[in-house]
Amino acid sequence: MTSIGGAEMVDWNLAVATATRLVRPGPEVSRHAKASEEHVRGFTRMGTEDTHDTPVLVVDRPGWVRANVAGFREILKPLLEKMQERRSGSTGGAVLGAVGGKVTGVELGMLLSFLASRVLGQYETFAPATRELPAGGPPDSPSGGGRLLLVAPNIVHVERELDVQPHDFRLWVCLHEETHRTQFSAVPWLRDHLEGEIQSFLGETDVDPMTVLERIREAAQSLAGGRPEAEEDDGGRSFVELVQTPAQREILGRLTAVMSLLEGHADFVMDGVGPEVVPTVAEIREKFQQRRAKGASRLDMALRKLLGLDAKLRQYRDGERFVRAVVDQVGMDGFNRVWTSPNTLPTKAEIAKPADWIARVHRKAES
């Protein structure tokens, strides 16, 4: 655990215990990812024989919680150490002692239980390997190289809610997640680049520990129905809106562009492969889009805003439009120049204007 001369900023073990106690395990589901691997790599023309393989793990909701807490601890370690040092000299430092860490652990656990019931799948890039949750990649990779998680009970829940053909829906979901697995296994520099951007962002953070604790408390109170309606109407502020410096805003713009690319590419691939291997793909996409647009209760929408999930939905939409426009203009091989280096990734402005990316990358390559 992250500890510098005192108690934890977050009691991670308590966060796991809280989330796994609150979330329902749900039914099991068999694997469909293996079939999707060949389809994705053939369609995207990505992947080579010597790429390091990564495991595909079918997990229940508590398993997803444990995997994500491990990832949070790894990626947030530098920020929490910085906040831990600052805590001792802050006005509210005493609050963030042993009691503060446990309070934060409980509240983070409540948030994880909320998310654990909604995530269908996830390519986990940064979490360290464990006996229960192995990861692939080179032996010297500090975090094991990644793993693909499929949250079985959530997939089953959504397919029943949408009333779609189970085999088709499961394969359709796996096509999206397998695309993420292919992105990171076929593009060796992508993981380190993304981690470097995240660490640069966190390194610029100058947030009072009490402010972060208050954001977690706001989200947890939303779950418990403890926020007044007037506060719920404006949706609260997302964690991302803790951004304070121009440097952070610049880094966040680059991160947003990369995430839009990755999510949009996965959506484009799952629908592009779909008609050949998923007979009911048109019905699934229509019902799934209606579900995304409709959302859920006001409470659910408030939490989406607070956690930044509404921004993620925009990434799917904007990124898919970018990928489709580029492929239409220069073909799949022309699009794949995006994976050449960090310099060929689209900017946030280019995600909105694909023609600008085409002009920059293709004109430069051909000159």
Side-chain angles (χ1 to χ4, degrees):
M1 287 191 178
T2 304
S3 182
I4 301 181
E8 282 282 349
M9 284 290 301
V10 177
D11 189 326
W12 296 107
N13 291 334
L14 188 54
V16 171
T18 300
T20 54
R21 186 175 67 252
L22 292 175
V23 74
R24 296 177 180 176
E28 295 184 355
V29 65
S30 60
R31 299 186 181 192
H32 289 257
K34 188 63 180 176
S36 67
E37 180 178 354
E38 182 180 348
H39 297 306
V40 168
R41 297 201 176 196
F43 183 81
T44 62
R45 303 178 192 175
M46 297 173 67
T48 61
E49 293 298 323
D50 61 348
T51 54
H52 295 282
D53 199 17
T54 53
V56 179
L57 308 176
V58 178
V59 299
D60 58 10
R61 290 160 181 164
W64 180 89
V65 168
R66 287 191 291 271
N68 275 267
V69 165
F72 288 156
R73 287 177 64 175
E74 186 73 21
I75 201 69
L76 293 176
K77 188 181 297 182
L79 175 62
L80 292 180
E81 288 177 350
K82 181 179 179 179
M83 292 171 64
Q84 190 89 6
E85 291 174 343
R86 181 171 173 177
R87 185 187 70 181
S88 59
S90 67
T91 304
V95 180
L96 289 172
V99 174
K102 290 187 180 299
V103 168
T104 309
V106 168
E107 292 175 336
L108 181 59
M110 292 174 68
L111 295 181
L112 286 169
S113 72
F114 170 81
L115 294 172
S117 298
R118 285 154 176 79
V119 175
L120 300 182
Q122 172 186 358
Y123 184 81
E124 213 183 17
T125 317
F126 303 112
T130 65
R131 186 173 63 179
E132 291 182 349
L133 294 165
D140 59 350
S141 174
S143 66
R147 58 191 170 219
L148 178 60
L149 305 178
L150 298 171
V151 189
N154 296 347
I155 294 173
V156 171
H157 172 78
V158 173
E159 74 190 25
R160 290 174 178 172
E161 179 186 333
L162 297 181
D163 190 24
V164 292
Q165 211 283 331
H167 177 273
D168 285 6
F169 182 75
R170 295 172 194 181
L171 181 56
W172 186 71
V173 170
C174 288
L175 288 171
H176 181 103
E177 303 306 333
E178 177 61 36
T179 302
H180 288 317
R181 184 169 174 245
T182 298
Q183 289 162 349
F184 282 92
S185 64
V187 185
W189 53 265
L190 183 57
R191 179 195 173 279
D192 288 342
H193 172 72
L194 194 58
E195 182 178 21
E197 292 282 58
I198 292 171
Q199 292 302 337
S200 295
F201 179 86
L202 295 177
E204 290 286 335
T205 300
D206 187 24
V207 178
D208 182 82
M210 289 300 295
T211 305
V212 175
L213 181 60
E214 182 59 29
R215 294 294 174 271
I216 295 174
R217 179 166 291 119
E218 285 179 11
Q221 286 176 348
S222 292
L223 279 174
R227 296 179 69 211
E229 265 193 29
E231 291 185 39
E232 212 169 272
D233 284 340
D234 61 25
R237 290 190 291 169
S238 74
F239 291 112
V240 173
E241 289 173 327
L242 291 172
V243 173
Q244 293 177 327
T245 69
Q248 279 186 308
R249 286 191 288 271
E250 185 178 334
I251 296 167
L252 184 60
R254 295 197 298 267
L255 280 170
T256 299
V258 173
M259 297 312 297
S260 295
L261 171 69
L262 298 180
E263 296 294 358
H265 184 230
D267 260 17
F268 177 78
V269 171
M270 73 193 297
D271 286 346
V273 173
E276 294 184 9
V277 299
V278 183
T280 59
V281 64
E283 177 193 357
I284 291 172
R285 167 56 74 183
E286 181 181 0
K287 289 183 175 180
F288 197 75
Q289 291 288 62
Q290 289 174 354
R291 182 179 184 271
R292 270 184 183 173
K294 183 174 63 176
S297 65
R298 293 179 64 206
L299 172 60
D300 188 66
M301 297 304 289
L303 278 163
R304 285 178 179 276
K305 167 66 177 174
L306 187 63
L307 298 172
L309 299 181
D310 53 346
K312 188 172 179 66
L313 293 179
R314 289 195 297 273
Q315 288 170 3
Y316 287 118
R317 181 195 64 210
D318 297 343
E320 196 275 341
R321 287 175 181 170
F322 170 84
V323 176
R324 185 173 300 280
V326 172
V327 172
D328 285 347
Q329 289 294 311
V330 296
M332 186 63 74
D333 290 335
F335 166 78
N336 280 340
R337 289 189 185 180
V338 77
W339 312 116
T340 304
S341 76
N343 293 329
T344 56
L345 291 172
T347 64
K348 189 176 179 181
E350 288 170 342
I351 288 288
K353 295 183 177 180
D356 290 353
W357 179 87
I358 294 172
R360 176 173 67 87
V361 172
H362 282 260
R363 184 172 57 217
K364 183 177 180 181
E366 293 162 4
S367 60

